[in-house]
């Protein structure tokens, strides 16, 4: 083989190796030389039995860019060992017309996941998410939600846990018929009234929500989340206001 052919072959190998390293780099490598804010991304994960996958949900604050997904490749990996998290090239899907994001993944039971994005020149990441798709599959129980006060402009939503009882916080979304998010709130209690924030512990609603309109269709989405950010309970319920 001629020398210039050998050189070309070696350069091609090096190029392929570099591309693979970039595509499958670690979270630790991604943070090198960057300002970093840990635990500053709201995120959680739920199993989806209909699609046989795990969905990772996150709230990309306005101005957030470059959403990235990392998962551990070993069951023995420590959740705080950023060198054990490898980046995956997965699609980022819009929910509620971009208010939230979803990353569909095939990450296996027992692994850890971290998502990040860039904001104001810094990398921000979520707390590690423990994947429990087999040991604690997410329960989809619309019958566990009760809607009351539908004859008023301030309906109340209450719910019960399923068989998984280690939920520590509940995330509620009220959306309109165009799938726009009207309110996004967290409560430690199993009740929320639109739009009463007295028992709200965290509020991601950006603007004052509009009054609900009789005759229009709306949606109530609920996630019950454990301490390690696994979704135990997932509910989607359509509703509309009743006439007085």
């Amino acid at each position: 083989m001629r020398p210039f052919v050998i050189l070309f072959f070696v350069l091609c190998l090096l190029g392929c190796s570099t591309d693979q390293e970039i595509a499958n780099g670690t979270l630790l490598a991604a943070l090198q030389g960057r300002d970093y804010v840990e635990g500053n991304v709201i995120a959680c994960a739920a199993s989806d039995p209909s699609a046989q996958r795990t969905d990772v949900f996150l709230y990309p604050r306005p101005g957030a860019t470059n959403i990235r997904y990392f998962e551990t490749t070993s069951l023995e990996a420590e959740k705080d060992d950023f060198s054990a998290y490898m980046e995956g090239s997965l699609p980022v899907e819009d929910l509620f017309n971009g208010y939230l994001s979803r990353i569909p993944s095939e990450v296996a039971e027992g692994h850890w996941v971290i998502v990040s994005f860039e904001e104001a020149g810094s990398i921000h990441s979520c707390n590690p998410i423990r994947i429990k798709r087999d040991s604690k599959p997410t329960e989809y129980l619309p019958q566990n939600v009760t809607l009351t006060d539908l004859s008023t402009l301030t309906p109340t939503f209450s719910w019960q846990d399923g068989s998984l009882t280690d939920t520590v916080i509940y995330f509620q979304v009220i959306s309109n018929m165009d799938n726009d998010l009207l309110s996004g709130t967290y409560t430690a209690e199993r009740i929320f009234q639109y739009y009463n924030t007295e028992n709200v512990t965290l509020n991601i609603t950006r603007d004052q929500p509009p009054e609900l309109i009789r005759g229009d269709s709306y949606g109530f989405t609920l996630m019950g989340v454990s301490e390690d950010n696994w979704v135990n309970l997932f509910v989607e319920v359509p509703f509309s206001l009743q006439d007085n």
Side-chain angles (χ1 to χ4, degrees), residues 42-44 57-59 100 159 169-173 184-189 191-192 197 199-205 223 225:
I42 298 173
C44 59
F57 301 93
L58 69 145
Y59 170 54
L100 300 178
W159 54 89
I169 198 163
Y170 301 90
F171 176 50
Q172 311 94 34
V173 169
T185 51
Y186 287 81
T187 66
E189 302 172 358
I191 189 170
F192 173 71
T197 59
N199 70 333
V200 170
T201 58
L202 178 63
N203 195 345
I204 65 170
T205 311
M223 296 185 195
V225 186

Side-chain angles (χ1 to χ4, degrees), residues 34-61:
R34 299 295 305 275
D35 291 330
Y36 170 58
V37 184
E38 185 175 359
N40 195 32
V41 174
I42 298 173
C44 59
S47 59
D48 185 343
S50 63
Q52 296 184 336
R53 71 185 188 199
T54 296
D55 287 328
V56 180
F57 301 93
L58 69 145
Y59 170 54
R61 294 186 292 270

Side-chain angles (χ1 to χ4, degrees), residues 173-194:
V173 169
I174 308 296
S175 56
N176 63 16
M177 65 181 71
D178 295 322
N179 209 31
D180 296 319
L181 185 146
L182 305 182
S183 73
T185 51
Y186 287 81
T187 66
E189 302 172 358
R190 294 191 293 269
I191 189 170
F192 173 71
Q193 182 183 37
Y194 185 87

Side-chain angles (χ1 to χ4, degrees), residues 10-25:
V10 172
L11 289 175
C12 286
L13 286 178
L14 290 175
C16 292
S17 176
T18 302
D19 290 342
Q20 181 73 10
E21 183 178 351
I22 292 173
N24 298 305

